Amino acid sequence: MLTRKQHELLMFIHERIKETGVSPSFDEMKEALDLASKSGIHRLITALEERGFLRRLPHRARALEVTRLPEQATAAAPARGRAPFQPQVIEGARKLPSAPASDAANDVRELPLLGKIAAGTPIAAIQHERERLPVPEALLGAGEHYLLEISGDSMIDAGILDGDMVIIRKADTASSGEIVVALVEGEEATLKRLRRKGASIALEPANPRYETRIFGPDQVEVQGKLVGLFRRYH
């Protein structure tokens, strides 16, 4: 069993080698996992070696080899400098799964689908309820929830794709680093990672093609936090 940080580092190294053919530098790993020093990376790499997930290749710079992946390795690697979101994904058909009538009350909860939300340039604010869809209770927990359909690709490095249906827990506050539904200047809704930078609020994408947008504290209203998603196929 790997710790969260061990898993994040292993997946980051795996994805970087797959993309570039070269393992990331210690500085890149430190930035990706948002660690204060390289010593933490050394400890994580040593632990992954001891558990048989990594191997250092002798006489080569930046030489790490991923020897195996954990069984649960389905989430995207963390984007550089951003805390990772590991979405709970249910892959299914065009319609969300429903439970038998006798079990529905215990196994699923019907949530309102409120329309589309941008994972890119913000679009119009969240619309009124379009329909209600059953969602497994295992994805929810306490609190009030709703569904939104993703439009755009600015959160792909967090494992959130165009057309995904995200599960949002209603909230009006969020910690720095959480992925939220943000209402910008009372008119535009977007799904982004929230960062607090002094008195300002940054809305970060998870795609290097998009820029982080900075707002004053009175320009952004948190409307919910991301807790999971459905991936649907037509």
Side-chain angles (χ1 to χ4, degrees):
M1 177 70 70
L2 297 181
T3 67
R4 182 172 62 86
K5 284 294 186 185
Q6 289 167 359
H7 185 274
E8 289 170 14
L9 180 61
L10 180 63
M11 295 308 298
F12 178 69
I13 294 170
H14 171 66
E15 292 296 333
R16 182 58 63 86
I17 293 174
K18 187 166 65 172
E19 291 172 4
T20 68
V22 180
S23 60
S25 68
F26 274 65
D27 282 326
E28 289 171 329
M29 290 186 268
K30 178 171 73 73
E31 183 181 353
L33 270 68
D34 199 23
L35 295 180
S37 68
K38 295 180 185 178
S39 61
I41 296 296
H42 281 285
R43 288 194 295 270
L44 290 171
I45 287 177
T46 299
L48 288 168
E49 282 187 294
E50 292 172 350
R51 288 161 175 76
F53 291 96
L54 276 184
R55 182 165 70 94
R56 300 190 209 214
L57 303 178
H59 313 301
R60 288 174 55 187
R62 294 174 58 173
L64 292 172
E65 179 184 33
V66 177
T67 54
R68 68 187 180 98
L69 293 174
E71 292 181 1
Q72 70 272 29
T74 57
R80 291 181 59 187
R82 301 182 178 102
F85 167 67
Q86 297 184 356
Q88 303 179 68
V89 180
I90 290 183
E91 297 188 354
R94 182 64 180 86
K95 290 185 178 293
L96 298 183
S98 58
S102 59
D103 297 327
N106 295 323
D107 297 337
V108 301
R109 190 189 313 175
E110 285 199 345
L111 299 183
L113 173 61
L114 300 184
K116 290 189 176 183
I117 188 170
T121 303
I123 55 176
I126 300 169
Q127 303 299 308
H128 296 295
E129 179 177 328
R130 286 178 12 191
E131 57 181 311
R132 298 186 73 85
L133 296 169
V135 175
E137 284 282 357
L139 295 183
L140 301 178
E144 189 175 352
H145 298 72
Y146 57 89
L147 301 170
L148 294 168
E149 187 175 353
I150 293 295
S151 175
D153 62 356
S154 78
M155 297 301 288
I156 57 174
D157 286 350
I160 304 168
L161 310 182
D162 182 55
D164 281 348
M165 184 172 294
V166 291
I167 305 168
I168 305 296
R169 179 182 294 120
K170 280 190 176 182
D172 55 12
T173 61
S175 301
S176 186
E178 291 187 298
I179 296 177
V180 304
V181 173
L183 187 63
V184 179
E185 297 182 331
E187 296 181 352
E188 299 174 321
T190 188
L191 186 81
K192 291 290 180 291
R193 191 180 302 281
L194 181 145
R195 297 281 187 193
R196 300 190 184 279
K197 300 179 180 293
S200 299
I201 293 177
L203 297 179
E204 283 185 354
N207 182 335
R209 292 176 47 227
Y210 296 86
E211 294 183 352
T212 295
R213 302 176 71 197
I214 308 295
F215 299 94
D218 58 343
Q219 293 179 294
V220 175
E221 178 186 342
V222 173
Q223 296 198 324
K225 301 179 186 181
L226 181 63
V227 298
L229 64 81
F230 287 97
R231 184 152 299 145
R232 305 182 300 173
Y233 294 93
H234 296 276

